[in-house]
Every structure is written in C-alpha cells, then in structure tokens.
C-alpha cells in the first residue's frame, strides 16, 4: 500500500490462513483479503458445515487478535500493531 499510495485499492489474495493473517494484511493497509484456500480445504473436508466452521474460526481468531492489540474496530488497525522490521517496506 505504501508503494502504490491511496489511489489504488489493495487486496491480498494468497497466504491468508487465519484471523491473524487477516489482521496483519489490514494493518499493512489492505482494503480486502481473500480466504479461498481455507474455504476450499474446509468444503473438501466437511462440505458446507466445514465452510461455516472455518469462517467461525477465522472470525474468532481475528476478534481475539484485535483484542490482544487493544482494538475493537478493524478500521482502527494500522501497522503500529506490528513489530518493527517484521514486514517489507
């Protein structure tokens, strides 16, 4: 996001496996993330019930991770929650 500025929407597709990954992507400025792999794995394992369960798990992980960072609104998250030098610039 720093490279392209605010004129272009950035979405992350790939590597999102958990609520923590969603939080990190948002902290780095992504406006959206895609969790296709998690959905494919869950539908393959348990069908529709698996997708529901996977979404619940990711949602709970995201909520808990945000709480650990002291946030209740995803829109308030930025890269200050990340360890310095733990991401590329």
């Amino acid at each position: 996001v720093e490279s392209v500025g605010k004129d272009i929407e950035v979405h992350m597709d790939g590597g999102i496996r958990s609520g923590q990954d969603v939080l990190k992507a948002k902290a780095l400025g992504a406006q959206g993330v895609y969790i296709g792999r998690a959905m494919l794995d869950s539908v393959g394992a348990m069908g529709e019930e698996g997708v529901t369960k996977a979404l619940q798990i990711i949602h709970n992980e995201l909520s808990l991770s945000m709480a650990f960072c002291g946030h209740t609104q995803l829109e308030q998250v930025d890269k200050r929650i990340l360890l310095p030098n733990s991401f590329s610039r």
Side-chain angles (χ1 to χ4, degrees):
V1 173
E2 282 183 11
S3 297
V4 299
K6 301 238 181 229
D7 295 335
I8 298 174
E9 262 193 35
V10 175
H11 294 242
M12 185 167 175
D13 184 16
I16 302 293
R17 304 282 186 270
S18 68
Q20 291 89 351
D21 293 335
V22 173
L23 185 61
K24 288 180 217 173
K26 180 61 181 167
L28 291 171
Q31 284 83 24
V33 298
Y34 300 101
I35 53 175
R37 177 77 182 258
M39 295 302 99
L40 288 175
D41 290 346
S42 62
V43 78
M46 297 175 60
E48 184 178 342
E49 184 181 328
V51 172
T52 300
K53 184 69 173 172
L55 288 171
Q56 289 171 342
I57 290 169
I58 291 172
H59 181 267
N60 290 340
E61 290 173 342
L62 177 59
S63 295
L64 187 58
S65 297
M66 286 177 53
F68 286 145
C69 294
H71 291 284
T72 57
Q73 299 294 318
L74 193 55
E75 295 77 26
Q76 297 172 343
V77 172
D78 60 27
K79 68 181 177 182
R80 290 178 293 181
I81 69 165
L82 303 173
L83 290 173
N85 302 318
S86 66
F87 54 91
S88 300
R89 291 180 192 216

Coordinates of all heavy atoms in Angstrom, one line a residue:
V1 N 0.8 -1.2 0.0 CA 0.0 0.0 0.0 C 0.9 1.2 0.0 O 0.6 2.2 -0.7 CB -1.0 0.0 1.2 CG1 -1.7 1.3 1.3 CG2 -1.9 -1.2 1.1
E2 N 2.0 1.2 0.8 CA 2.9 2.4 0.7 C 3.4 2.6 -0.6 O 3.6 3.8 -1.0 CB 4.1 2.1 1.7 CG 3.7 2.3 3.1 CD 4.9 2.2 4.1 OE1 6.1 2.1 3.5 OE2 4.8 2.1 5.3
S3 N 3.7 1.6 -1.4 CA 4.2 1.7 -2.8 C 3.3 2.4 -3.7 O 3.7 3.1 -4.6 CB 4.7 0.4 -3.3 OG 5.7 -0.2 -2.5
V4 N 2.0 2.0 -3.7 CA 1.0 2.5 -4.7 C 0.2 3.7 -4.2 O -0.5 4.3 -5.0 CB 0.1 1.4 -5.1 CG1 0.8 0.2 -5.8 CG2 -0.8 0.8 -4.0
G5 N 0.3 4.0 -2.9 CA -0.5 5.1 -2.4 C -2.0 4.8 -2.2 O -2.4 3.6 -2.3
K6 N -2.7 5.8 -1.9 CA -4.1 5.6 -1.6 C -5.0 5.6 -2.8 O -6.2 5.5 -2.7 CB -4.6 6.6 -0.6 CG -3.8 6.6 0.7 CD -4.7 6.4 1.9 CE -3.8 6.3 3.1 NZ -4.1 5.2 4.0
D7 N -4.5 5.9 -4.0 CA -5.2 6.0 -5.2 C -5.7 4.6 -5.8 O -6.6 4.5 -6.6 CB -4.4 6.7 -6.3 CG -4.2 8.1 -6.0 OD1 -4.9 8.7 -5.2 OD2 -3.2 8.7 -6.5
I8 N -5.1 3.6 -5.3 CA -5.4 2.2 -5.8 C -5.8 1.3 -4.6 O -5.1 1.3 -3.6 CB -4.2 1.6 -6.5 CG1 -3.8 2.4 -7.7 CG2 -4.4 0.1 -6.8 CD1 -2.5 1.9 -8.4
E9 N -6.9 0.6 -4.7 CA -7.3 -0.3 -3.7 C -6.4 -1.5 -3.7 O -6.1 -2.1 -4.8 CB -8.7 -0.8 -3.9 CG -9.7 0.0 -3.0 CD -11.1 -0.7 -3.0 OE1 -11.2 -1.9 -3.0 OE2 -12.0 0.1 -3.0
V10 N -5.9 -1.9 -2.5 CA -5.0 -3.1 -2.4 C -5.8 -4.2 -1.7 O -6.3 -4.0 -0.6 CB -3.7 -2.8 -1.7 CG1 -2.9 -4.1 -1.5 CG2 -2.9 -1.8 -2.5
H11 N -5.9 -5.4 -2.3 CA -6.5 -6.6 -1.7 C -5.4 -7.6 -1.7 O -4.6 -7.8 -2.6 CB -7.7 -7.0 -2.6 CG -8.8 -6.0 -2.6 ND1 -10.0 -6.4 -2.1 CD2 -8.9 -4.8 -3.0 CE1 -10.8 -5.3 -2.2 NE2 -10.1 -4.3 -2.8
M12 N -5.4 -8.4 -0.7 CA -4.5 -9.5 -0.5 C -5.1 -10.8 -0.9 O -6.2 -11.2 -0.3 CB -3.9 -9.6 0.9 CG -2.8 -10.6 1.0 SD -1.9 -10.4 2.6 CE -0.9 -11.8 2.5
D13 N -4.5 -11.5 -1.8 CA -5.0 -12.8 -2.2 C -3.9 -13.8 -2.2 O -3.0 -13.8 -3.0 CB -5.6 -12.7 -3.6 CG -6.2 -14.0 -4.1 OD1 -6.5 -14.9 -3.3 OD2 -6.5 -14.2 -5.3
G14 N -3.9 -14.7 -1.2 CA -2.9 -15.7 -1.0 C -2.2 -15.6 0.3 O -1.9 -14.5 0.8
G15 N -2.0 -16.7 0.9 CA -1.3 -16.7 2.2 C -2.2 -16.4 3.4 O -1.8 -16.5 4.6
I16 N -3.5 -16.2 3.2 CA -4.4 -15.9 4.3 C -4.9 -17.2 4.8 O -5.7 -17.9 4.1 CB -5.6 -15.0 3.9 CG1 -5.0 -13.6 3.4 CG2 -6.5 -14.8 5.1 CD1 -4.3 -12.8 4.4
R17 N -4.5 -17.6 6.0 CA -5.0 -18.9 6.6 C -5.6 -18.7 7.9 O -6.2 -19.7 8.5 CB -3.8 -19.8 6.8 CG -3.0 -20.1 5.5 CD -3.7 -21.1 4.6 NE -2.8 -21.5 3.5 CZ -2.8 -20.8 2.3 NH1 -3.6 -19.8 2.1 NH2 -2.0 -21.2 1.3
S18 N -5.5 -17.5 8.5 CA -6.0 -17.4 9.9 C -6.5 -15.9 10.1 O -6.3 -15.0 9.3 CB -4.9 -17.7 10.9 OG -3.9 -16.7 10.8
G19 N -7.2 -15.7 11.2 CA -7.6 -14.4 11.6 C -6.4 -13.5 11.8 O -6.5 -12.3 11.6
Q20 N -5.3 -14.0 12.3 CA -4.1 -13.2 12.5 C -3.6 -12.7 11.1 O -3.1 -11.6 11.0 CB -3.0 -14.0 13.2 CG -3.3 -14.3 14.6 CD -4.0 -15.7 14.8 OE1 -4.5 -16.3 13.8 NE2 -4.2 -16.1 16.0
D21 N -3.6 -13.5 10.1 CA -3.2 -13.1 8.8 C -4.1 -12.0 8.2 O -3.6 -11.1 7.6 CB -3.3 -14.3 7.8 CG -2.3 -15.4 8.1 OD1 -1.2 -15.1 8.7 OD2 -2.5 -16.5 7.7
V22 N -5.4 -12.1 8.5 CA -6.3 -11.0 8.1 C -5.9 -9.7 8.8 O -5.9 -8.7 8.2 CB -7.8 -11.4 8.5 CG1 -8.7 -10.2 8.2 CG2 -8.3 -12.6 7.7
L23 N -5.7 -9.8 10.1 CA -5.3 -8.6 10.9 C -4.0 -8.0 10.3 O -3.9 -6.8 10.2 CB -5.1 -9.0 12.3 CG -4.9 -7.8 13.3 CD1 -6.0 -6.8 13.2 CD2 -4.7 -8.3 14.7
K24 N -3.0 -8.8 10.0 CA -1.7 -8.3 9.5 C -1.9 -7.6 8.2 O -1.4 -6.5 7.9 CB -0.7 -9.4 9.3 CG -0.2 -10.0 10.6 CD 0.8 -11.1 10.3 CE 0.7 -12.2 11.4 NZ 1.5 -13.3 11.0
A25 N -2.7 -8.2 7.3 CA -3.0 -7.6 6.0 C -3.7 -6.3 6.1 O -3.3 -5.3 5.5 CB -3.8 -8.5 5.1
K26 N -4.6 -6.2 7.0 CA -5.3 -4.9 7.3 C -4.4 -3.9 7.9 O -4.4 -2.7 7.5 CB -6.5 -5.2 8.2 CG -7.3 -3.9 8.6 CD -7.9 -3.3 7.3 CE -8.7 -2.0 7.7 NZ -9.0 -1.2 6.6
A27 N -3.5 -4.3 8.8 CA -2.5 -3.4 9.4 C -1.6 -2.8 8.4 O -1.2 -1.7 8.5 CB -1.7 -4.2 10.5
L28 N -1.3 -3.6 7.3 CA -0.4 -3.1 6.3 C -1.2 -2.3 5.2 O -0.6 -1.8 4.2 CB 0.3 -4.3 5.6 CG 1.4 -4.9 6.6 CD1 1.9 -6.2 6.0 CD2 2.5 -3.9 6.9
G29 N -2.5 -2.1 5.4 CA -3.3 -1.3 4.5 C -4.2 -1.9 3.5 O -4.8 -1.2 2.7
A30 N -4.2 -3.2 3.5 CA -5.1 -3.9 2.5 C -6.6 -3.6 2.8 O -7.0 -3.5 4.0 CB -4.9 -5.4 2.6
Q31 N -7.3 -3.3 1.8 CA -8.8 -3.0 1.9 C -9.6 -4.3 2.0 O -10.7 -4.3 2.4 CB -9.3 -2.1 0.8 CG -8.9 -0.6 0.9 CD -7.5 -0.3 0.4 OE1 -6.9 -1.1 -0.4 NE2 -6.9 0.7 0.9
G32 N -9.0 -5.3 1.5 CA -9.7 -6.6 1.5 C -8.7 -7.8 1.5 O -7.6 -7.6 1.1
V33 N -9.2 -8.9 1.9 CA -8.4 -10.2 1.9 C -9.3 -11.3 1.4 O -10.5 -11.2 1.5 CB -7.8 -10.5 3.3 CG1 -6.8 -9.5 3.7 CG2 -8.9 -10.8 4.3
Y34 N -8.7 -12.3 0.8 CA -9.4 -13.4 0.2 C -8.9 -14.7 0.9 O -7.7 -14.9 1.1 CB -9.2 -13.5 -1.3 CG -9.7 -12.2 -2.0 CD1 -8.8 -11.2 -2.4 CD2 -11.1 -12.0 -2.1 CE1 -9.2 -10.1 -3.0 CE2 -11.5 -10.8 -2.7 CZ -10.6 -9.9 -3.1 OH -11.0 -8.7 -3.7
I35 N -9.9 -15.5 1.3 CA -9.5 -16.7 2.1 C -10.0 -17.9 1.3 O -10.5 -18.9 1.9 CB -10.1 -16.6 3.5 CG1 -11.6 -16.3 3.4 CG2 -9.4 -15.6 4.3 CD1 -12.3 -16.4 4.8
G36 N -9.8 -17.9 0.0 CA -10.2 -19.0 -0.8 C -9.6 -20.4 -0.5 O -10.4 -21.4 -0.5
R37 N -8.4 -20.4 -0.2 CA -7.7 -21.7 0.1 C -8.4 -22.4 1.4 O -8.7 -23.5 1.4 CB -6.2 -21.5 0.3 CG -5.5 -22.8 0.8 CD -5.3 -23.7 -0.5 NE -4.6 -24.9 -0.1 CZ -3.3 -25.1 -0.3 NH1 -2.5 -24.2 -0.9 NH2 -2.7 -26.3 0.1
A38 N -8.6 -21.5 2.4 CA -9.2 -22.1 3.6 C -10.6 -22.6 3.3 O -11.1 -23.6 3.9 CB -9.3 -21.0 4.7
M39 N -11.3 -21.9 2.4 CA -12.7 -22.3 2.1 C -12.7 -23.6 1.3 O -13.5 -24.5 1.5 CB -13.4 -21.2 1.3 CG -13.7 -19.9 2.1 SD -14.6 -20.2 3.6 CE -13.3 -20.2 4.8
L40 N -11.7 -23.7 0.3 CA -11.6 -24.9 -0.5 C -11.2 -26.1 0.4 O -11.8 -27.2 0.3 CB -10.6 -24.8 -1.6 CG -11.0 -23.9 -2.7 CD1 -9.8 -23.7 -3.7 CD2 -12.2 -24.5 -3.5
D41 N -10.3 -25.9 1.3 CA -9.9 -27.0 2.2 C -11.1 -27.4 3.1 O -11.3 -28.6 3.3 CB -8.7 -26.6 3.1 CG -7.4 -26.5 2.3 OD1 -7.4 -26.9 1.2 OD2 -6.5 -25.9 2.9
S42 N -11.8 -26.5 3.6 CA -12.9 -26.8 4.5 C -14.1 -27.4 3.8 O -14.7 -28.3 4.3 CB -13.4 -25.5 5.3 OG -13.8 -24.6 4.4
V43 N -14.4 -27.0 2.6 CA -15.5 -27.6 1.9 C -15.1 -29.0 1.5 O -16.0 -29.9 1.5 CB -16.0 -26.8 0.6 CG1 -15.0 -26.9 -0.5 CG2 -17.4 -27.1 0.2
G44 N -13.8 -29.2 1.2 CA -13.4 -30.6 0.8 C -13.4 -31.5 2.0 O -13.7 -32.7 1.8
A45 N -13.2 -31.0 3.2 CA -13.2 -31.8 4.4 C -14.6 -32.1 4.9 O -14.9 -33.2 5.4 CB -12.3 -31.2 5.4
M46 N -15.4 -31.1 5.0 CA -16.7 -31.2 5.7 C -17.9 -30.6 4.9 O -19.0 -30.4 5.5 CB -16.6 -30.5 7.0 CG -15.6 -31.2 8.0 SD -15.4 -30.3 9.5 CE -17.0 -30.3 10.2
G47 N -17.7 -30.2 3.7 CA -18.8 -29.6 2.9 C -19.2 -28.2 3.5 O -18.4 -27.5 4.0
E48 N -20.5 -27.9 3.4 CA -21.0 -26.6 3.8 C -20.7 -26.4 5.3 O -20.4 -25.3 5.7 CB -22.5 -26.5 3.5 CG -23.1 -25.2 3.8 CD -24.6 -25.1 3.5 OE1 -25.1 -26.0 2.8 OE2 -25.3 -24.3 4.1
E49 N -20.9 -27.4 6.1 CA -20.6 -27.3 7.5 C -19.1 -26.9 7.8 O -18.8 -26.1 8.7 CB -20.9 -28.6 8.2 CG -20.7 -28.6 9.7 CD -21.0 -29.9 10.3 OE1 -21.9 -30.7 9.8 OE2 -20.4 -30.2 11.4
G50 N -18.2 -27.4 6.9 CA -16.8 -27.1 7.1 C -16.6 -25.6 6.8 O -15.7 -25.0 7.4
V51 N -17.2 -25.1 5.8 CA -17.1 -23.7 5.4 C -17.5 -22.8 6.6 O -16.9 -21.8 7.0 CB -17.8 -23.3 4.1 CG1 -17.8 -21.8 3.9 CG2 -17.2 -24.0 2.9
T52 N -18.7 -23.1 7.1 CA -19.2 -22.4 8.2 C -18.3 -22.4 9.4 O -18.0 -21.4 10.0 CB -20.6 -23.0 8.7 OG1 -21.5 -22.9 7.6 CG2 -21.2 -22.2 9.9
K53 N -17.7 -23.6 9.7 CA -16.8 -23.8 10.8 C -15.5 -23.0 10.6 O -15.0 -22.3 11.5 CB -16.5 -25.2 11.0 CG -15.6 -25.5 12.2 CD -16.3 -25.2 13.5 CE -15.4 -25.7 14.7 NZ -16.0 -25.3 15.9
A54 N -15.0 -23.0 9.3 CA -13.8 -22.3 9.0 C -14.0 -20.8 9.2 O -13.1 -20.1 9.7 CB -13.3 -22.6 7.6
L55 N -15.1 -20.3 8.7 CA -15.4 -18.8 8.9 C -15.5 -18.4 10.3 O -15.1 -17.4 10.7 CB -16.7 -18.5 8.1 CG -16.6 -18.4 6.6 CD1 -18.0 -18.3 6.0 CD2 -15.6 -17.4 6.1
Q56 N -16.1 -19.3 11.1 CA -16.2 -19.0 12.6 C -14.9 -19.0 13.2 O -14.6 -18.1 14.0 CB -17.1 -20.1 13.3 CG -18.6 -20.0 12.9 CD -19.3 -21.3 13.5 OE1 -18.7 -22.3 13.8 NE2 -20.6 -21.1 13.5
I57 N -14.0 -19.9 12.9 CA -12.7 -20.0 13.4 C -11.9 -18.7 13.0 O -11.3 -18.1 13.9 CB -11.9 -21.2 13.0 CG1 -12.5 -22.5 13.6 CG2 -10.4 -21.1 13.3 CD1 -12.0 -23.8 13.0
I58 N -11.9 -18.3 11.8 CA -11.2 -17.1 11.3 C -11.7 -15.9 12.0 O -11.0 -15.0 12.5 CB -11.2 -17.0 9.8 CG1 -10.3 -18.1 9.2 CG2 -10.7 -15.6 9.3 CD1 -10.4 -18.3 7.7
H59 N -13.0 -15.8 12.1 CA -13.7 -14.7 12.8 C -13.2 -14.6 14.3 O -12.9 -13.5 14.8 CB -15.2 -14.7 12.7 CG -15.9 -13.6 13.3 ND1 -16.3 -13.6 14.6 CD2 -16.2 -12.4 12.9 CE1 -16.9 -12.5 15.0 NE2 -16.8 -11.7 13.9
N60 N -13.3 -15.7 15.0 CA -12.8 -15.7 16.4 C -11.4 -15.4 16.5 O -11.0 -14.7 17.5 CB -13.2 -17.1 17.0 CG -14.6 -17.3 17.2 OD1 -15.4 -16.4 17.2 ND2 -15.0 -18.6 17.3
E61 N -10.5 -15.9 15.6 CA -9.1 -15.6 15.7 C -8.9 -14.1 15.5 O -8.1 -13.5 16.2 CB -8.3 -16.4 14.7 CG -8.2 -17.8 14.9 CD -7.6 -18.6 13.8 OE1 -7.5 -18.1 12.6 OE2 -7.1 -19.7 14.0
L62 N -9.6 -13.5 14.5 CA -9.5 -12.1 14.3 C -9.9 -11.3 15.5 O -9.2 -10.3 15.9 CB -10.3 -11.7 13.0 CG -10.3 -10.2 12.6 CD1 -8.9 -9.7 12.4 CD2 -11.2 -10.0 11.4
S63 N -11.0 -11.6 16.0 CA -11.5 -10.9 17.2 C -10.6 -11.0 18.4 O -10.3 -9.9 19.0 CB -12.9 -11.4 17.6 OG -13.9 -11.2 16.6
L64 N -10.1 -12.1 18.6 CA -9.1 -12.3 19.7 C -7.8 -11.6 19.5 O -7.3 -10.9 20.4 CB -8.9 -13.8 20.0 CG -8.0 -14.2 21.2 CD1 -8.7 -13.7 22.5 CD2 -7.9 -15.7 21.2
S65 N -7.3 -11.6 18.3 CA -6.1 -10.9 17.9 C -6.2 -9.4 18.1 O -5.3 -8.7 18.5 CB -5.6 -11.3 16.5 OG -5.3 -12.7 16.4
M66 N -7.4 -8.9 17.6 CA -7.7 -7.5 17.8 C -7.7 -7.1 19.2 O -7.2 -6.1 19.6 CB -9.0 -7.1 17.1 CG -8.8 -7.1 15.6 SD -10.4 -6.8 14.7 CE -10.9 -5.3 15.5
A67 N -8.3 -7.9 20.0 CA -8.4 -7.6 21.5 C -7.0 -7.6 22.1 O -6.8 -6.7 22.9 CB -9.3 -8.7 22.2
F68 N -6.2 -8.5 21.7 CA -4.8 -8.5 22.2 C -4.1 -7.2 21.9 O -3.2 -6.8 22.6 CB -4.0 -9.7 21.7 CG -4.4 -11.0 22.4 CD1 -4.4 -12.2 21.7 CD2 -4.7 -11.1 23.7 CE1 -4.7 -13.4 22.2 CE2 -5.1 -12.3 24.3 CZ -5.0 -13.4 23.6
C69 N -4.4 -6.6 20.7 CA -3.8 -5.4 20.3 C -4.5 -4.2 20.8 O -4.1 -3.0 20.5 CB -3.8 -5.3 18.7 SG -2.8 -6.6 18.0
G70 N -5.6 -4.4 21.5 CA -6.3 -3.2 22.1 C -7.3 -2.6 21.2 O -7.6 -1.4 21.4
H71 N -7.8 -3.3 20.2 CA -8.7 -2.7 19.2 C -10.0 -3.4 19.2 O -10.0 -4.7 19.4 CB -8.1 -2.7 17.8 CG -6.9 -1.8 17.6 ND1 -7.1 -0.4 17.5 CD2 -5.6 -2.0 17.6 CE1 -5.9 0.1 17.3 NE2 -5.0 -0.8 17.4
T72 N -11.1 -2.7 18.9 CA -12.4 -3.3 18.8 C -13.0 -3.1 17.4 O -13.9 -3.7 17.0 CB -13.4 -2.8 19.8 OG1 -13.5 -1.3 19.7 CG2 -13.0 -3.1 21.2
Q73 N -12.3 -2.2 16.6 CA -12.8 -1.8 15.3 C -11.6 -2.1 14.3 O -10.5 -1.5 14.4 CB -13.2 -0.3 15.2 CG -14.3 0.0 16.1 CD -15.6 -0.6 15.7 OE1 -15.9 -0.7 14.5 NE2 -16.4 -1.1 16.7
L74 N -11.9 -2.9 13.3 CA -10.9 -3.3 12.3 C -10.4 -2.0 11.6 O -9.2 -1.9 11.2 CB -11.5 -4.3 11.3 CG -10.5 -5.0 10.4 CD1 -9.4 -5.7 11.2 CD2 -11.2 -6.0 9.5
E75 N -11.3 -1.0 11.4 CA -10.9 0.2 10.7 C -9.8 1.0 11.4 O -9.2 1.9 10.8 CB -12.1 1.1 10.4 CG -13.1 0.5 9.5 CD -14.0 -0.6 10.2 OE1 -14.2 -0.6 11.4 OE2 -14.5 -1.5 9.5
Q76 N -9.7 0.8 12.7 CA -8.7 1.5 13.5 C -7.3 0.9 13.5 O -6.3 1.4 14.0 CB -9.1 1.6 15.0 CG -10.4 2.3 15.2 CD -11.0 2.2 16.6 OE1 -10.5 1.3 17.3 NE2 -11.9 3.1 16.9
V77 N -7.2 -0.3 12.9 CA -5.9 -1.1 12.9 C -5.0 -0.5 11.9 O -5.4 -0.2 10.7 CB -6.2 -2.6 12.6 CG1 -4.9 -3.3 12.4 CG2 -7.0 -3.2 13.7
D78 N -3.7 -0.3 12.2 CA -2.7 0.1 11.3 C -1.4 -0.6 11.6 O -1.3 -1.4 12.6 CB -2.5 1.6 11.2 CG -2.1 2.3 12.5 OD1 -1.5 1.6 13.3 OD2 -2.5 3.4 12.8
K79 N -0.3 -0.3 10.9 CA 0.9 -1.0 11.1 C 1.6 -0.8 12.4 O 2.6 -1.5 12.7 CB 1.9 -0.8 9.9 CG 2.5 0.6 9.8 CD 3.4 0.7 8.6 CE 3.9 2.1 8.5 NZ 4.7 2.2 7.3
R80 N 1.1 0.1 13.2 CA 1.7 0.2 14.6 C 1.5 -1.0 15.4 O 2.2 -1.2 16.4 CB 1.1 1.5 15.3 CG 1.6 2.8 14.6 CD 0.9 4.0 15.3 NE -0.5 3.9 15.0 CZ -1.4 4.8 15.4 NH1 -1.0 5.8 16.2 NH2 -2.7 4.7 15.1
I81 N 0.6 -1.9 15.1 CA 0.4 -3.1 15.9 C 1.4 -4.2 15.6 O 1.6 -5.1 16.3 CB -1.0 -3.7 15.7 CG1 -1.2 -4.3 14.3 CG2 -2.1 -2.7 16.0 CD1 -2.4 -5.2 14.1
L82 N 2.2 -4.0 14.5 CA 3.2 -4.9 14.1 C 4.5 -4.6 14.7 O 4.9 -3.5 15.0 CB 3.3 -4.9 12.5 CG 2.0 -5.2 11.8 CD1 2.2 -5.0 10.3 CD2 1.5 -6.6 12.1
L83 N 5.3 -5.7 14.9 CA 6.7 -5.5 15.3 C 7.5 -4.7 14.3 O 7.4 -5.0 13.1 CB 7.4 -6.8 15.6 CG 6.8 -7.6 16.8 CD1 7.5 -9.0 16.8 CD2 7.1 -6.9 18.1
P84 N 8.3 -3.8 14.7 CA 9.2 -3.0 13.8 C 10.0 -4.0 13.0 O 10.5 -5.0 13.5 CB 10.0 -2.1 14.7 CG 9.3 -2.0 16.0 CD 8.5 -3.3 16.1
N85 N 10.2 -3.7 11.7 CA 11.0 -4.5 10.8 C 10.5 -6.0 10.6 O 11.3 -6.8 10.2 CB 12.5 -4.6 11.3 CG 13.1 -3.2 11.4 OD1 12.9 -2.3 10.5 ND2 13.8 -2.9 12.5
S86 N 9.3 -6.2 10.9 CA 8.7 -7.6 10.7 C 8.0 -7.7 9.4 O 7.3 -8.7 9.1 CB 7.8 -7.9 11.9 OG 6.6 -7.1 11.9
F87 N 8.0 -6.6 8.6 CA 7.4 -6.6 7.3 C 8.2 -5.8 6.3 O 9.0 -5.0 6.7 CB 6.0 -6.0 7.4 CG 6.0 -4.6 8.0 CD1 6.1 -3.5 7.2 CD2 5.9 -4.5 9.4 CE1 6.1 -2.2 7.8 CE2 5.9 -3.2 10.0 CZ 6.0 -2.1 9.2
S88 N 8.0 -6.1 5.0 CA 8.8 -5.4 4.0 C 8.2 -4.0 3.8 O 7.1 -3.8 3.9 CB 8.8 -6.2 2.7 OG 9.3 -7.5 2.9
R89 N 9.1 -3.1 3.4 CA 8.6 -1.8 3.0 C 8.7 -1.6 1.5 O 9.3 -2.1 0.8 CB 9.5 -0.7 3.7 CG 9.3 -0.8 5.2 CD 10.2 0.3 5.8 NE 10.2 0.0 7.2 CZ 10.2 0.9 8.1 NH1 10.2 2.2 7.8 NH2 10.1 0.6 9.4

